[in-house]
Amino acid sequence: MSKPKGWKQLPIGGLIIEAGNAEKYVTGGWRSFYPVHDQEKCSNCLQCWIFCPDSAIKVKDGKIREIDMKHCKGCGICAKECPPKIKAITMVEEMKG
Ligand code: SF4
Ligand code: SF4
């Protein structure tokens, strides 16, 4: 059995030691609700894309293409920010989907 580290050998917490490392954290496992996007209703205003804290909404050629479920943590901000007259995103409970 290896000898436990002393406090001076422990890494300092709260530091981001590598830029862009959030990609490596699969926050999708936190989710209890998931967003369902309705392409028919969507106006592609990109409001949801701007507000998603996990950059989970994928856009190509100015249009919403998919939601990256590996990183979507189910916060519901996208559904909240989608204009009320459009409401193209609905949050669904994981076990009921
Ligand atoms: S639920 Fe939250 S994390 Fe998931 S796509 Fe919407 S805003 Fe992004
Ligand atoms: S906010 Fe709503 S209407 Fe705008 S791009 Fe997102 S899903 Fe589509």
Side-chain angles (χ1 to χ4, degrees):
M1 193 152 85
S2 63
K3 202 175 155 191
K5 288 180 179 174
W7 68 270
K8 287 184 180 174
Q9 281 83 49
L10 293 174
I12 298 169
L15 290 180
I16 296 171
I17 52 175
E18 186 190 343
N21 66 0
E23 171 93 8
K24 293 180 185 169
Y25 293 95
V26 181
T27 44
W30 301 0
R31 208 173 47 241
S32 52
F33 284 81
Y34 66 95
V36 175
H37 176 239
D38 186 336
Q39 195 73 61
E40 297 288 310
K41 288 185 186 172
C42 180
S43 68
N44 291 294
C45 68
L46 304 187
Q47 194 80 348
C48 55
W49 173 74
I50 291 167
F51 280 95
C52 174
D54 293 292
S55 301
I57 298 175
K58 301 299 173 194
V59 174
K60 194 174 176 203
D61 300 327
K63 291 186 175 180
I64 305 291
R65 295 298 178 191
E66 62 172 329
I67 299 175
D68 167 11
M69 290 300 171
K70 272 190 179 172
H71 293 95
C72 166
K73 62 180 174 235
C75 65
I77 291 173
C78 53
K80 187 92 177 162
E81 293 300 328
C82 186
K85 285 184 180 169
I86 299 174
K87 280 291 162 214
I89 299 179
T90 311
M91 297 305 291
V92 176
E93 201 170 344
E94 282 285 338
M95 300 308 280
K96 292 183 181 168

Short mmCIF file of all heavy atoms in Angstrom, two decimals, residues 35 52-54 56-57 67 72-78 91, ligand 1:
data_model
loop_
_atom_site.label_atom_id
_atom_site.label_comp_id
_atom_site.label_asym_id
_atom_site.label_seq_id
_atom_site.Cartn_x
_atom_site.Cartn_y
_atom_site.Cartn_z
N PRO A 35 -34.86 17.98 -23.12
CA PRO A 35 -35.58 18.84 -24.04
C PRO A 35 -35.95 18.11 -25.34
O PRO A 35 -35.14 17.37 -25.89
CB PRO A 35 -34.57 19.97 -24.33
CG PRO A 35 -33.24 19.34 -24.13
CD PRO A 35 -33.40 18.22 -23.13
N CYS A 52 -28.10 28.37 -23.77
CA CYS A 52 -27.75 27.04 -23.23
C CYS A 52 -26.38 27.12 -22.54
O CYS A 52 -25.37 27.42 -23.17
CB CYS A 52 -27.72 25.99 -24.33
SG CYS A 52 -27.13 24.39 -23.71
N PRO A 53 -26.32 26.81 -21.24
CA PRO A 53 -25.06 26.93 -20.51
C PRO A 53 -24.04 25.84 -20.85
O PRO A 53 -22.88 25.94 -20.47
CB PRO A 53 -25.48 26.83 -19.04
CG PRO A 53 -26.77 26.08 -19.07
CD PRO A 53 -27.43 26.41 -20.36
N ASP A 54 -24.48 24.81 -21.55
CA ASP A 54 -23.57 23.69 -21.86
C ASP A 54 -23.21 23.60 -23.33
O ASP A 54 -22.62 22.60 -23.75
CB ASP A 54 -24.20 22.39 -21.39
CG ASP A 54 -24.28 22.35 -19.88
OD1 ASP A 54 -23.23 22.28 -19.24
OD2 ASP A 54 -25.39 22.47 -19.34
N ALA A 56 -24.96 22.77 -25.65
CA ALA A 56 -25.47 21.45 -26.07
C ALA A 56 -26.35 21.54 -27.31
O ALA A 56 -26.68 20.52 -27.90
CB ALA A 56 -26.23 20.82 -24.92
N ILE A 57 -26.74 22.76 -27.68
CA ILE A 57 -27.60 22.91 -28.86
C ILE A 57 -26.70 23.13 -30.07
O ILE A 57 -25.92 24.08 -30.11
CB ILE A 57 -28.62 24.04 -28.65
CG1 ILE A 57 -29.53 23.67 -27.46
CG2 ILE A 57 -29.43 24.29 -29.92
CD1 ILE A 57 -30.50 24.72 -27.04
N ILE A 67 -29.67 18.29 -30.27
CA ILE A 67 -29.27 18.62 -28.90
C ILE A 67 -28.35 17.50 -28.44
O ILE A 67 -28.70 16.31 -28.52
CB ILE A 67 -30.50 18.79 -27.98
CG1 ILE A 67 -31.36 19.96 -28.51
CG2 ILE A 67 -30.05 19.05 -26.54
CD1 ILE A 67 -32.66 20.20 -27.80
N CYS A 72 -26.16 17.94 -22.42
CA CYS A 72 -27.38 18.61 -21.93
C CYS A 72 -27.67 18.10 -20.53
O CYS A 72 -27.87 16.90 -20.33
CB CYS A 72 -28.56 18.31 -22.85
SG CYS A 72 -30.14 18.75 -22.11
N LYS A 73 -27.71 19.02 -19.55
CA LYS A 73 -27.97 18.58 -18.18
C LYS A 73 -29.43 18.77 -17.78
O LYS A 73 -29.78 18.57 -16.62
CB LYS A 73 -27.03 19.28 -17.21
CG LYS A 73 -27.15 20.77 -17.15
CD LYS A 73 -26.15 21.34 -16.14
CE LYS A 73 -26.13 22.84 -16.18
NZ LYS A 73 -24.80 23.37 -16.41
N GLY A 74 -30.27 19.17 -18.73
CA GLY A 74 -31.71 19.23 -18.48
C GLY A 74 -32.17 20.40 -17.66
O GLY A 74 -33.21 20.31 -16.99
N CYS A 75 -31.46 21.50 -17.74
CA CYS A 75 -31.81 22.67 -16.91
C CYS A 75 -33.12 23.33 -17.35
O CYS A 75 -33.76 24.00 -16.57
CB CYS A 75 -30.67 23.69 -16.93
SG CYS A 75 -30.39 24.40 -18.57
N GLY A 76 -33.48 23.18 -18.61
CA GLY A 76 -34.73 23.75 -19.12
C GLY A 76 -34.64 25.21 -19.54
O GLY A 76 -35.66 25.81 -19.90
N ILE A 77 -33.46 25.79 -19.53
CA ILE A 77 -33.30 27.19 -19.92
C ILE A 77 -33.72 27.38 -21.38
O ILE A 77 -34.39 28.36 -21.72
CB ILE A 77 -31.85 27.67 -19.68
CG1 ILE A 77 -31.57 27.76 -18.19
CG2 ILE A 77 -31.58 29.02 -20.36
CD1 ILE A 77 -30.13 28.07 -17.81
N CYS A 78 -33.37 26.44 -22.23
CA CYS A 78 -33.72 26.54 -23.65
C CYS A 78 -35.24 26.64 -23.82
O CYS A 78 -35.74 27.48 -24.58
CB CYS A 78 -33.16 25.36 -24.44
SG CYS A 78 -33.61 23.76 -23.76
N MET A 91 -39.87 20.26 -22.20
CA MET A 91 -39.08 19.43 -21.29
C MET A 91 -39.92 18.21 -20.88
O MET A 91 -41.09 18.35 -20.49
CB MET A 91 -38.67 20.22 -20.04
CG MET A 91 -37.77 21.42 -20.31
SD MET A 91 -36.26 21.05 -21.22
CE MET A 91 -35.33 20.10 -20.01
S1 SF4 B 1 -31.95 21.77 -21.10
FE1 SF4 B 1 -30.30 23.20 -20.52
S2 SF4 B 1 -28.43 22.11 -21.02
FE2 SF4 B 1 -30.07 21.06 -22.11
S3 SF4 B 1 -30.12 21.99 -24.13
FE3 SF4 B 1 -31.58 23.09 -22.85
S4 SF4 B 1 -30.44 24.84 -22.03
FE4 SF4 B 1 -28.94 23.35 -22.80
#
